[in-house]
Amino acid sequence: EAGVTQSPTHLIKTRGQQATLRCSPISGHTSVYWYQQALGLGLQFLLWYDEGEERNRGNFPPRFSGRQFPNYSSELNVNALELEDSALYLCASSIPLGQETQYFGPGTRLLVL
Amino acid sequence: KQEVTQIPAALSVPEGENLVLNCSFTDSAIYNLQWFRQDPGKGLTSLLLIQSSQREQTSGRLNASLDKSSGRSTLYIAASQPGDSATYLCAVKSNDYKLSFGAGTTVTVRA
């Protein structure tokens, strides 16, 4: 069974641009979570989607947004990129209602120049 | 706001020694607690998940305990091997399903 997949693996942008990151959950998982892992800051919860709805979000500005599609895949959009947005962005999926183990993808490394 | 602390930040042991990794959290109203392993530049691999009603979980050489009332969890790794070298993260899921992570313990097992 395929695990959580993310694309692209690496992304280089300049300040002010927009970045779009993609995630495909494990088959049968309806919940998708996004996390940011910036150097020296640890993993921070960004967003949680379930059944196409945003269920919860972490302490991030509105320029971090996303959506979940009918096939449960998800996009994370970061607008007006800032240097400090450079980080590893991890996506995870779980069975409905986020009750069980979250399975993580390999991440997208975003570099903002 | 849930705060998760992991001690020590780094640990270096000779092969064969047992590892003890500690995790503490400030809000005992948790849904579950999960231990992950992260290799450099890579995603997370789930090791063990302990539901709030459980006291421990075991998988092979790994054993994790949970004391919710005192806000503590401990991950034990028996007979460590060089392949166990990685960063180990503790994550606490609150009742709103948000996952709060500790900063991790970086383990080096010397051959």
Side-chain angles (χ1 to χ4, degrees):
Chain A
E1 182 184 303
V4 177
T5 58
Q6 292 186 245
S7 62
T9 55
H10 293 81
L11 192 56
I12 301 175
K13 295 284 186 178
T14 55
R15 283 178 59 188
Q17 285 189 313
Q18 179 196 40
T20 299
L21 289 64
R22 296 178 179 82
C23 171
S24 291
I26 291 171
S27 177
H29 288 188
T30 64
S31 278
V32 171
Y33 306 79
W34 287 96
Y35 297 88
Q36 181 196 65
Q37 189 173 35
L39 201 61
L41 289 181
L43 264 162
Q44 303 289 325
F45 166 73
L46 262 167
L47 289 160
W48 169 31
Y49 291 94
D50 184 70
E51 294 285 358
E53 301 280 334
E54 182 181 301
R55 301 293 184 180
N56 214 334
R57 70 180 287 133
N59 296 324
F60 282 84
R63 56 192 188 81
F64 286 85
S65 65
R67 54 180 172 166
Q68 187 178 33
F69 299 99
N71 67 354
Y72 305 114
S73 66
S74 176
E75 264 183 13
L76 173 68
N77 295 294
V78 188
N79 295 318
L81 284 166
E82 300 178 2
L83 297 178
E84 51 266 34
D85 296 333
S86 295
L88 179 66
Y89 288 84
L90 293 168
C91 169
S93 73
S94 75
I95 62 174
L97 296 179
Q99 292 181 28
E100 289 298 336
T101 301
Q102 292 185 18
Y103 295 89
F104 281 76
T108 292
R109 189 163 295 280
L110 172 65
L111 178 61
V112 183
L113 302 173
Chain B
K1 182 190 169 194
Q2 181 73 266
E3 303 281 349
V4 182
T5 304
Q6 290 187 248
I7 294 172
L11 190 57
S12 179
V13 299
E15 183 177 2
E17 198 164 292
N18 296 332
L19 290 163
V20 180
L21 310 179
N22 297 299
C23 171
S24 61
F25 47 95
T26 54
D27 186 351
S28 61
I30 67 170
Y31 195 87
N32 62 38
L33 183 144
Q34 200 165 349
W35 283 93
F36 292 91
R37 169 190 171 132
Q38 186 174 31
D39 292 286
K42 300 291 179 63
L44 275 63
T45 301
S46 177
L47 297 174
L48 290 167
L49 180 140
I50 312 176
Q51 300 292 354
S52 63
S53 58
Q54 296 176 318
R55 298 283 299 198
E56 68 176 340
Q57 278 286 343
T58 298
S59 175
R61 294 184 295 112
L62 277 57
N63 174 276
S65 66
L66 174 64
D67 185 341
K68 209 171 64 164
S69 60
S70 67
R72 293 178 192 275
S73 176
T74 302
L75 177 67
Y76 301 89
I77 303 177
S80 61
Q81 304 168 358
D84 294 330
S85 298
T87 296
Y88 291 83
L89 295 162
C90 166
V92 175
K93 181 175 278 187
S94 304
N95 290 334
D96 61 357
Y97 304 128
K98 273 190 193 178
L99 213 56
S100 300
F101 284 84
T105 295
T106 299
V107 170
T108 303
V109 180
R110 308 186 302 273

